[in-house]
Amino acid sequence: MASSVPVSRRRILTVAAAGGLVAATGSWRAVAARAATVAGSAPRLAVDPFALGVASGDPGADGVVLWTRLTQDPAAVAGGMPPVDVPVRWMVARDEGMRRIVAGGRVAATPEAAHSVRVVVEGLEPDRPYWYRFVVGDHETPVARTRTFPAANRRADRLDFAVTSCQNYRDGYYNAWADVAADEDLDAVLFLGDYIYESGEGMGAVRAHPIAEVVTLDEYRARYALYRGDANLQAAHAVAPWLVVWDDHEVDNNYQGTSPEVGSPTSDPAAFLARRAAAYRAWWEHMPTRLAPPTGPDLPIHRRADFGRLARFHLLDTRQYRSNQPCAPANDVGPVCAEARGPDLTVLGDAQERWLDAGLRSSGASWDLLGQQVTFSQLAFSPGPDGVRNLDQWDGYPDARRRMIDAWRRAGIKNPVVLTGDIHANIVGDVTADFDDPQAPHVGTELVGTSISSSAPAVLQQVLTDVVGRSPHLRWADATARGWLRATVTPEVLQADYRTVDDNRVEGSPLRTARSFVVESGGSVTEA
Ligand code: FE
Ligand code: CA
């Protein structure tokens, strides 16, 4: 019923005789060797090993991925765990009381994966909720909710999902996650990147990063453990399956392909690739995906998920394969120069472009939802085709953007909707065939969702207000509030409700729906 990593009995060592793992002195290896007599049972873990919560993700019609990671001291190297495999039991039920178990098994949490586990559960029924938990010894997780999606060829009447991104721990409390977690009608949570921030120690507006800028695998793991320790984030993972992609801060601010941020502590190319390998590895260890583990500095993460015939999610990666930023690599913002034009510049890379093309052509969905990172539509900081733009966004790669729009039109998809994170602002607009021509036909929609907690510079609001004023394709832009975007999709209409936090520096601050927009199938986006 489920494929899971078999637990190697030979490698399971019982260390309970040492008198509790946390109190043990000396190396774990010595402790384990002393007690290596009983195979097949878990070491006795003195501390609840589930401090990082659970998660589910990459839902399909017949299954879903379950995730957890064991720790004894989340901030410590290796999460304070002994360097031995630990058997973890998992179970899936049709009911929240966990009485009607339909799948279960045992999986090894290994030191190589920082004692994270991923279980690909198969053989479930399509389009229904399930509940799950993990157990190690006397410790068990709370029961969490997930669901399967309707089969790709089946009718589906309604999809409710969250669009989320950018959860800088230093900048604010995760009130937005508490709001997501309270929404039991969500079928999925789309997370568009900046799950962690790599930046160094010190206080932000609210909370602290305890260690310097993270570079090594152990440091990235500790940063994920810090973030995953938050109860509101854990609650949001426990309410619905997630569809997760990364952005830049999972590695290094504004990196592109193999090029680090200017001024990065890993500016040497080999050092940056080693860092990217560590960062991708730690991301893989902490996300509930079906992806195979990375090999070195590479990890293809683009993938699809179908919600019946109603919606197809195309999850894109605009960081790993893109050409280095043209025109002004030391600065995001500058005028579009000749270097930005030309067929060689890419955002997705050739292979991902071809894969997306195929996925659009084979799509029979009412809505094609393109989950990706950087703003797709033109944001003209000054007027004219060569005006000032944020060159880290698609504005720095206008011919690559043109190829994407051409692909939509060639594929004849009904409703392309670009869903975007990264910029810590809410932005709503039409995608048009030519952003510099007010008469150009509408070809799609872009909905940019603000950050969960990451702050935006105060100047950004005035900049965006000016941009909207000179851009007929844009309806609204707001950089002043944190929150998330709640989307509801039916065959006829997409509705976007922008949920915003009153004051993100206050724990428990409430959210409200700031603005709502609708897209009728084939039409422009309008305020509801
Ligand atoms: Fe961000
Ligand atoms: Ca970003």
Side-chain angles (χ1 to χ4, degrees):
M1 178 155 309
S3 64
S4 55
V5 180
V7 176
S8 163
R9 292 189 148 255
R10 188 170 51 79
R11 298 193 58 211
I12 302 300
L13 305 175
T14 299
V15 295
L21 289 179
V22 170
T25 55
S27 77
W28 287 116
R29 216 167 291 281
V31 172
R34 259 184 287 149
T37 49
V38 182
S41 61
R44 183 175 298 152
L45 299 174
V47 177
D48 179 354
F50 296 115
L52 306 187
V54 300
S56 70
D58 281 358
D62 74 338
V64 68
V65 176
L66 309 181
W67 175 95
T68 192
R69 179 185 163 199
L70 310 181
T71 61
Q72 290 294 276
D73 179 0
V77 171
M81 288 290 289
V84 295
D85 289 6
V86 177
V88 179
R89 287 166 56 217
W90 59 272
M91 55 217 71
V92 175
R94 291 173 61 88
D95 63 303
E96 194 168 4
M98 299 297 290
R99 281 178 292 274
R100 295 160 67 200
I101 303 281
V102 294
R106 214 165 68 135
V107 61
T110 69
E112 293 74 24
H115 292 95
S116 64
V117 299
R118 274 152 302 282
V119 179
V120 182
V121 183
E122 295 169 331
L124 302 180
E125 292 171 31
D127 196 19
R128 58 152 294 142
Y130 286 95
W131 288 264
Y132 63 97
R133 76 167 6 140
F134 292 92
V135 178
V136 171
D138 298 336
H139 304 284
E140 61 182 21
T141 66
V143 175
R145 181 186 178 280
T146 189
R147 82 178 332 275
T148 51
F149 277 7
N153 59 352
R154 301 304 289 266
R155 178 192 165 91
D157 295 327
R158 178 177 169 133
L159 161 66
D160 293 86
F161 68 102
V163 181
T164 64
S165 64
C166 292
Q167 51 166 346
N168 194 324
Y169 188 84
R170 287 163 50 156
D171 286 357
Y173 290 107
Y174 290 164
N175 297 308
W177 285 133
D179 195 52
V180 169
D183 194 328
E184 296 190 347
D185 295 326
L186 291 176
D187 298 306
V189 174
L190 181 63
F191 187 84
L192 298 172
D194 289 357
Y195 193 97
I196 58 161
Y197 283 70
E198 83 287 11
S199 54
E201 58 201 325
M203 284 293 291
V206 174
R207 299 190 284 192
H209 277 166
I211 59 173
E213 179 162 336
V214 295
V215 173
T216 68
L217 178 56
D218 280 335
E219 290 166 354
Y220 279 109
R221 285 168 168 170
R223 186 57 54 87
Y224 279 99
L226 174 71
Y227 281 48
R228 268 285 171 81
D230 184 280
N232 289 329
L233 174 57
Q234 290 182 16
H237 274 295
V239 78
W242 284 37
L243 296 163
V244 188
V245 288
W246 58 37
D247 192 21
D248 53 337
H249 285 286
E250 283 87 348
V251 181
D252 185 23
N253 179 45
N254 283 8
Y255 87 94
Q256 287 127 359
T258 56
S259 304
E261 178 185 26
V262 173
S264 167
T266 46
S267 55
D268 170 71
F272 181 70
L273 273 189
R275 182 187 191 178
R276 200 177 92 167
Y280 284 6
R281 172 83 197 177
W283 181 89
W284 177 84
E285 288 173 350
H286 289 85
M287 294 300 131
T289 74
R290 296 172 187 268
L291 301 169
T295 53
D298 303 310
L299 178 57
I301 66 166
H302 52 277
R303 57 205 194 276
R304 284 189 274 279
D306 287 314
F307 194 90
R309 292 199 305 260
L310 182 57
R312 168 168 278 190
F313 289 94
H314 308 260
L315 305 180
L316 307 183
D317 178 357
T318 63
R319 289 287 173 194
Q320 187 172 188
Y321 309 107
R322 80 152 96 168
S323 314
N324 197 13
Q325 182 190 301
C327 306
N331 194 343
D332 295 359
V333 176
V336 176
C337 69
E339 196 195 332
R341 315 235 172 238
D344 293 340
L345 283 191
T346 181
V347 173
L348 299 178
D350 289 346
Q352 189 178 189
E353 275 193 32
R354 284 195 302 274
W355 167 87
L356 177 59
D357 222 34
L360 294 169
R361 279 189 275 109
S362 66
S363 173
S366 301
W367 303 84
D368 282 275
L369 307 171
L370 297 120
Q372 56 98 52
Q373 294 79 24
V374 288
T375 302
F376 186 73
S377 303
Q378 178 169 288
L379 301 179
F381 298 162
S382 72
D386 298 325
V388 174
R389 306 282 186 271
N390 183 332
L391 301 166
D392 181 57
Q393 302 177 344
W394 286 84
D395 271 340
Y397 305 79
D399 289 358
R401 178 167 60 198
R402 159 70 40 213
R403 289 199 299 277
M404 167 87 93
I405 292 173
D406 288 347
W408 298 351
R409 302 175 96 182
R410 271 201 314 276
I413 55 175
K414 281 189 269 185
N415 292 297
V417 180
V418 183
L419 302 168
T420 303
D422 177 61
I423 193 178
H424 310 174
N426 289 320
I427 304 174
V428 174
D430 288 334
V431 176
T432 69
D434 180 351
F435 292 112
D436 291 309
D437 174 6
Q439 309 304 320
H442 153 273
V443 294
T445 306
E446 181 167 21
L447 303 170
V448 183
T450 192
S451 52
I452 290 288
S453 59
S454 307
S455 56
V459 67
L460 185 58
Q461 184 55 50
Q462 190 54 54
V463 169
L464 289 177
T465 299
D466 293 345
V467 168
V468 172
R470 65 173 69 94
S471 306
H473 62 278
L474 297 178
R475 304 283 177 276
W476 179 55
D478 185 292
T480 63
R482 316 282 67 87
W484 61 291
L485 160 54
R486 191 189 193 290
T488 307
V489 180
T490 68
E492 297 79 29
V493 181
L494 180 150
Q495 173 149 343
D497 297 316
Y498 278 93
R499 303 280 296 165
T500 58
V501 188
D502 280 3
D503 185 348
N504 213 40
R505 294 162 303 179
V506 176
E507 205 166 4
S509 182
L511 284 86
R512 60 197 75 241
T513 299
R515 303 277 283 263
S516 293
F517 295 83
V518 293
V519 182
E520 296 195 13
S521 181
S524 292
V525 61
T526 55
E527 184 136 22

